Amino acid sequence: LRRQRQMCIRDRNLNDAEKVAVNLIESGYDAYIQKAYFRDTDEVWVRVRVGSYDNRDTALSVGKVIADAMTTEVWIDFVRFEE
């Protein structure tokens, strides 16, 4: 199992997430939307994921640039790949 880091932004609704993703893509970032459904609370969370980074320092650096530019909170998450 190989793990890489991605920077994430959580949005409240899909329309906002789409706008954020388009803005990031136009700025040269590899961004996409991911939805997660939680049965216990019957909620759908929408996340904008950005990039794939080999190390935490790079992911944090990119996340800080994006967070400062967009005045939003970001976090670093792991994505797992089966090899």
Side-chain angles (χ1 to χ4, degrees), residues 43-54:
E43 287 182 297
V44 175
W45 287 14
V46 181
R47 297 180 183 125
V48 178
R49 291 189 174 264
V50 179
S52 182
Y53 305 97
D54 291 331

Side-chain angles (χ1 to χ4, degrees), residues 19-58:
K19 290 175 188 172
V20 169
V22 166
N23 185 13
L24 288 166
I25 291 167
E26 288 175 349
S27 296
Y29 293 99
D30 178 20
Y32 67 94
I33 295 171
Q34 179 188 53
K35 291 191 269 184
Y37 175 69
F38 297 91
R39 251 184 261 158
D40 295 345
T41 59
D42 193 35
E43 287 182 297
V44 175
W45 287 14
V46 181
R47 297 180 183 125
V48 178
R49 291 189 174 264
V50 179
S52 182
Y53 305 97
D54 291 331
N55 64 68
R56 182 173 173 78
D57 290 340
T58 303

Side-chain angles (χ1 to χ4, degrees), residues 2-82:
R2 184 174 57 119
R3 296 173 14 158
Q4 288 194 309
R5 293 159 180 86
Q6 289 190 321
M7 194 271 304
C8 302
I9 301 167
R10 180 174 171 223
D11 272 299
R12 298 190 189 278
N13 65 61
L14 185 57
N15 288 336
D16 288 345
E18 287 172 343
K19 290 175 188 172
V20 169
V22 166
N23 185 13
L24 288 166
I25 291 167
E26 288 175 349
S27 296
Y29 293 99
D30 178 20
Y32 67 94
I33 295 171
Q34 179 188 53
K35 291 191 269 184
Y37 175 69
F38 297 91
R39 251 184 261 158
D40 295 345
T41 59
D42 193 35
E43 287 182 297
V44 175
W45 287 14
V46 181
R47 297 180 183 125
V48 178
R49 291 189 174 264
V50 179
S52 182
Y53 305 97
D54 291 331
N55 64 68
R56 182 173 173 78
D57 290 340
T58 303
L60 286 170
S61 177
V62 172
K64 180 169 177 19
V65 170
I66 291 173
D68 290 348
M70 299 182 70
T71 61
T72 190
E73 184 179 335
V74 301
W75 74 94
I76 307 305
D77 194 11
F78 286 103
V79 177
R80 295 179 179 160
F81 299 98
E82 301 250 352

